Amino acid sequence: MRSRLFFLVFISSLFVCASATASEEVTTDKPNILLIFIDDLGYADIGCYVSPLPETPNIDQLAKSGVRFTDGYAAAPICSASRAGLITGRSPARLGFEFVTTYENRNPTKEQWSEKYADYPLVPPSQTKNLPLDERTMAEQLAGAGYTTGITGKWHLSSHHGGYLGMSPTHGPTQQGFEWHADTKGSHPYSYPRSERGKLGDYQPGEFPEDDLTQQSINFLNQEHDKPFFLLVSHYYVHDPLDTKSGWLLEKYRAKAGPDMSDDRVLYAAFVETMDHYVGQLLDALEASGHADDTLVVLTSDNGGHPQWAWNRPLRGSKWNLYEGGVRAPFIVRWPGMSKAGTTCHVPVTNMDLLPTFMAVAGRKPDADREYDGMSILPLIKGEPIPEQLIDRPLYWHFPWYHSRSNTRFNAPIGIEDGYISLTRPQSSVRRGRHKLMYFYED
């Protein structure tokens, strides 16, 4: 009963307190918008966020030329839920989209679902398969504001069609406001058979495999655009499985890491630098296209890093839980002529803020027929006086799930990172100012 009472208070607070009125309409020339969304990139995995090993010169340069947010958050500690929050500006709890999607033919009955969790203290909600088509995504709203919209790479907001992460023909990006999309996994290990993993290619120092996801994104940038564009570059990097074809990278990081570093972390460092290389190619292409000076660029991640190999510390926790390491992520914004280069901002922000922010730079308000849990952070990007509602607003997360990446059952204390036991129990959290409350529903 006490858990249920807290849940009701929590959710009512989320709907009442966290709902943000849309920012006032902004009069501006509409910039292009390039959103680079990395998968599973931990808070401290890149150089400008104190990375102890991976080298990320391209992302570091992006941070030097724009605003680096130290307290940027994902909407959830797991992929699909975070992406739902990003693309709608609405919390996964409000959407009822709190876990990852599943295969379209998996339809357990209520009784079967309860039986599955018969040995657990609580039964989590059923898995959402598709982002409802009546949700108004940032792509739909920007299209209504006169933008050409495109996406490359990972969607993960619909049931798996024809295989893991296969694009749904009924609930894919083209049904959610994207006029153009490239369904490609690029050079990520998802794109080739397991039997090919661990096999090195003939790459000299400084060389990387060509990445089709990046090339498709560049092709979009190089198109003739008669109106501003919004491009979401949704990487599969740096999600596992880890692999590299560039043997020189492994040699580099084995030498840099020393004998005490695990092979997983050495390989992960190579994986992160590979991702950074592709980000650099994209940003170079943006410059070459002549669009760099009139393009707002945002780079962030969908959740915290993997507990086995990512550098989440000094934050506690990792992907799959609501400690800081699970939801705080790199968050970098560059808008030439509007953002001041080399700025660091400590005001907490969330990826749910991006929809109202993008609408503000487009000179529009978000659709008025729904409530939003993000608000425009345009004043923070432009270095203007910080609105009071951004200084002291509460930020909420709700993750009513059990999750484990080991075979350990849920009868042991939560252990994170050490020994690689990642156990998550149903939990919620709220941050306001310098304080954060964690609530665990079992007890």
Side-chain angles (χ1 to χ4, degrees):
M1 177 63 72
R2 186 163 60 92
S3 293
R4 179 172 175 79
L5 176 61
F6 180 89
F7 178 80
L8 293 173
V9 172
F10 179 91
I11 294 301
S12 65
S13 298
L14 179 132
F15 290 171
V16 175
C17 298
S19 294
T21 55
S23 61
E24 292 301 313
E25 191 163 333
V26 176
T27 303
T28 179
D29 292 331
K30 298 176 183 179
N32 305 308
I33 300 171
L34 175 60
L35 174 54
I36 305 171
F37 204 44
I38 310 300
D39 198 341
D40 283 8
L41 184 67
Y43 178 82
D45 282 343
I46 54 180
C48 58
Y49 286 91
V50 304
S51 163
L53 188 63
E55 296 175 12
T56 53
N58 297 296
I59 296 177
D60 295 348
Q61 182 56 45
L62 179 66
K64 289 178 182 177
S65 60
V67 184
R68 182 179 68 93
F69 289 85
T70 60
D71 293 54
Y73 288 96
I78 201 162
C79 180
S80 296
S82 179
R83 290 163 192 269
L86 166 85
I87 209 163
T88 65
R90 290 151 59 82
S91 79
R94 187 186 297 279
L95 299 170
F97 202 139
E98 296 144 332
F99 200 59
V100 292
T101 61
T102 186
Y103 287 89
E104 56 189 349
N105 60 353
R106 291 185 182 173
N107 299 297
T109 65
K110 183 177 180 180
E111 290 73 22
Q112 289 170 330
W113 191 253
S114 296
E115 179 62 25
K116 179 178 180 179
Y117 289 93
D119 295 336
Y120 297 85
L122 300 171
V123 178
S126 59
Q127 284 179 261
T128 304
K129 290 188 177 182
N130 301 294
L131 183 69
L133 295 179
D134 59 1
E135 287 295 333
R136 292 277 293 167
T137 69
M138 59 173 57
E140 289 173 294
Q141 297 195 45
L142 284 169
Y147 276 72
T148 299
T149 57
I151 179 174
T152 51
K154 189 172 183 177
W155 178 240
H156 211 178
L157 286 169
S158 60
S159 55
H160 309 309
H161 178 76
Y164 182 61
L165 295 177
M167 194 74 73
S168 168
T170 59
H171 290 77
T174 54
Q175 287 81 40
Q176 299 279 16
F178 289 96
E179 304 167 46
W180 175 90
H181 85 284
D183 183 11
T184 173
K185 295 178 174 65
S187 63
H188 189 276
Y190 277 145
S191 67
Y192 49 84
R194 290 176 180 267
S195 60
E196 294 300 313
R197 295 174 194 167
K199 296 182 180 180
L200 300 176
D202 184 19
Y203 296 98
Q204 299 303 308
E207 293 182 347
F208 300 80
E210 182 174 320
D211 184 62
D212 183 60
L213 191 153
T214 299
Q215 190 55 54
Q216 293 281 3
S217 303
I218 292 172
N219 292 343
F220 179 89
L221 295 179
N222 290 334
Q223 292 176 13
E224 291 291 332
H225 295 285
D226 57 4
K227 53 184 179 179
F229 62 77
F230 164 57
L231 177 61
L232 170 53
V233 179
S234 184
H235 275 279
Y236 287 87
Y237 284 96
V238 287
H239 195 291
D240 66 309
L242 308 182
D243 194 30
T244 182
K245 299 300 181 187
S246 299
W248 64 271
L249 263 182
L250 285 179
E251 294 175 7
K252 169 184 173 177
Y253 282 111
R254 283 197 181 105
K256 184 178 179 181
D260 296 330
M261 187 74 71
S262 70
D263 289 342
D264 279 339
R265 282 200 154 168
V266 169
L267 180 54
Y268 182 66
F271 213 52
V272 171
E273 182 172 340
T274 301
M275 175 274 298
D276 178 79
H277 172 75
Y278 298 137
V279 170
Q281 285 187 318
L282 179 66
L283 295 175
D284 287 347
L286 179 67
E287 186 74 38
S289 73
H291 291 302
D293 288 342
D294 58 354
T295 299
L296 169 68
V297 178
V298 178
L299 183 144
T300 189
S301 172
D302 62 348
N303 47 247
H306 194 285
Q308 188 174 4
W309 45 70
W311 278 270
N312 296 301
R313 293 183 179 180
L315 306 180
R316 181 182 182 181
S318 66
K319 176 183 180 178
W320 305 316
N321 59 65
L322 295 180
Y323 292 109
E324 288 292 276
V327 288
R328 204 193 299 193
F331 200 109
I332 300 168
V333 181
R334 183 187 74 187
W335 189 6
M338 293 293 183
S339 62
K340 183 178 179 181
T343 300
T344 299
C345 182
H346 302 289
V347 178
V349 298
T350 166
N351 67 10
M352 293 181 291
D353 294 332
L354 291 178
L355 184 150
T357 301
F358 292 165
M359 295 309 295
V361 302
R364 295 284 189 90
K365 295 180 180 179
D367 289 352
D369 63 344
R370 62 203 65 220
E371 294 182 274
Y372 296 91
D373 299 293
M375 60 180 65
S376 173
I377 59 171
L378 191 56
L380 305 180
I381 295 171
K382 297 171 70 175
E384 297 174 345
I386 303 172
E388 186 65 30
Q389 64 266 32
L390 283 175
I391 294 175
D392 197 38
R393 64 170 169 163
L395 299 178
Y396 296 87
W397 296 266
H398 182 54
F399 192 64
W401 271 85
Y402 293 95
H403 190 280
S404 174
R405 270 298 288 262
S406 73
N407 291 323
T408 307
R409 294 293 290 176
F410 292 89
N411 56 3
I414 293 178
I416 300 168
E417 296 184 36
D418 296 332
Y420 183 33
I421 302 174
S422 176
L423 304 182
T424 298
R425 296 183 173 93
Q427 57 192 255
S428 296
S429 64
V430 55
R431 174 178 172 172
R432 188 166 189 174
R434 295 177 57 250
H435 299 94
K436 182 171 180 177
L437 171 70
M438 297 283 293
Y439 188 86
F440 298 92
Y441 287 92
E442 288 182 341
D443 58 7

